[in-house]
Amino acid sequence: MLDPNYIFTIGLITTLLCIAIVVIWKIFSKFSLIPVIVGVGAWAVFCLTFEVLPDYTFLSVNSDIVNFRMSSMWADALCVLPIIGIVEETARFVSFKTVLKKYDDIKTAIGFGIGFGCAEALYLVGFNYMLMALAVCTNYEGILSGYKDFAYTFAGNLELEVFARMVAIVFHIALSILVFYAARNKKFVWVYPVCIVLHAIADFPYILYCWGIIDLLTNRICFAVASTILLFIALFVCMLYRRSFGNDNQFDSMVC
């Protein structure tokens, strides 16, 4: 059984790393923190509303949807991956077209990705692990059974989860840059739906892990490779963005 103090420490480290990333970004970029804050808010509004709550709702009742989803790995992937891709990439696109429509610097996308990724990391690992550890220490009955399943699944792998959350932040930065480019350039708005597909592909190893086809380490390695590839693509897009929008008149004519 995992030590609750160990779980709390992992949650605390993840939380401190997220805070450090935001502080370092602010110091080195000298850019507004508004995109970071919007990224946090976008994750909370879109992901909690359209991913987390529906998932808990569907899994808590015996319905045809649940039966279909649990019937096979491919059915599970079909039910989960498109929703995650659509919700998260739409959160980016809508944010860039509305709340952040006056922020045209590419740093907007990076800041948004940091906020979005850190919000996810804090929910999945940071705050979640600390609260779980505290609940176990106080013998809160409602969480003890879940804690046992958690301890069995992640025994000896919690440091890997910290690494995975940091990789996920890179992943969200990369996709935020791509969607930002789509939101700012009507000729490349097709990049937005492409990002939905790329997101689903990157998350597919997690489905394989859930069905016992690959182990947790392999899942995390696959995700890290996908994130690295997306980051290089995003860096290339950064260069295109600066070249395309270097002239204000050209930028104005290309904005949707």
Side-chain angles (χ1 to χ4, degrees), residues 38 42 45-46 50 86-101 112 116 179-180 182-184 192:
V38 173
V45 171
F46 280 81
F50 300 108
I86 291 171
V87 169
E88 297 191 12
E89 302 320 310
T90 300
R92 299 184 223 278
F93 192 79
V94 170
S95 298
F96 293 142
K97 297 292 285 184
T98 57
V99 183
L100 297 173
K101 64 181 180 180
F112 181 92
F116 201 92
V179 175
F180 180 78
R184 290 295 183 271
Y192 159 54

Side-chain angles (χ1 to χ4, degrees), residues 203 205-207 209 214-224:
D203 281 343
Y206 180 72
I207 299 295
Y209 162 69
I214 62 175
D215 59 18
L216 184 63
L217 178 60
T218 304
N219 168 41
R220 298 314 188 196
I221 291 175
C222 290
F223 185 69

Side-chain angles (χ1 to χ4, degrees), residues 18-236:
C18 288
I19 294 173
I21 289 171
V22 173
V23 171
I24 292 172
W25 167 249
K26 175 61 179 177
I27 293 173
F28 281 91
S29 70
K30 296 180 174 59
F31 197 66
S32 171
L33 286 179
I34 295 297
V36 176
I37 297 172
V38 173
V40 172
W43 187 90
V45 171
F46 280 81
C47 296
L48 290 180
T49 303
F50 300 108
E51 287 184 27
V52 177
L53 292 179
D55 195 44
Y56 280 127
T57 301
F58 286 134
L59 291 179
S60 64
V61 297
N62 186 15
S63 66
D64 292 337
I65 296 177
V66 174
N67 293 334
F68 172 73
R69 176 178 170 182
M70 297 296 106
S71 64
S72 71
M73 179 194 72
W74 295 107
D76 192 16
L78 182 63
C79 290
V80 174
L81 298 182
I83 293 176
I84 293 176
I86 291 171
V87 169
E88 297 191 12
E89 302 320 310
T90 300
R92 299 184 223 278
F93 192 79
V94 170
S95 298
F96 293 142
K97 297 292 285 184
T98 57
V99 183
L100 297 173
K101 64 181 180 180
K102 294 183 179 179
Y103 289 79
D104 296 329
D105 196 296
I106 197 68
K107 293 178 183 178
T108 303
I110 300 173
F112 181 92
I114 289 173
F116 201 92
C118 285
E120 182 180 73
L122 291 174
Y123 174 79
L124 294 177
V125 177
F127 297 157
N128 190 29
Y129 281 24
M130 288 191 288
L131 289 174
M132 180 178 294
L134 291 174
V136 171
C137 289
T138 56
N139 292 318
Y140 181 66
E141 293 294 335
I143 203 171
L144 290 181
S145 60
Y147 169 72
K148 292 176 183 178
D149 294 336
F150 169 87
Y152 175 79
T153 302
F154 292 101
N157 289 309
L158 292 189
E159 295 88 349
L160 183 60
E161 289 308 292
V162 178
F163 168 75
R165 287 306 102 207
M166 298 304 105
V167 171
I169 292 175
V170 174
F171 176 75
H172 287 299
I173 290 173
L175 284 175
S176 294
I177 291 173
L178 295 175
V179 175
F180 180 78
Y181 191 62
R184 290 295 183 271
N185 190 333
K186 61 184 179 182
K187 292 182 179 180
F188 293 96
V189 70
W190 55 267
V191 173
Y192 159 54
V194 168
C195 286
I196 294 176
V197 176
L198 292 175
H199 196 140
I201 293 173
D203 281 343
F204 183 70
Y206 180 72
I207 299 295
L208 297 178
Y209 162 69
C210 290
W211 283 81
I213 297 175
I214 62 175
D215 59 18
L216 184 63
L217 178 60
T218 304
N219 168 41
R220 298 314 188 196
I221 291 175
C222 290
F223 185 69
V225 171
S227 299
T228 302
I229 294 173
L230 282 173
L231 181 61
F232 279 107
I233 295 174
L235 292 175
F236 176 72

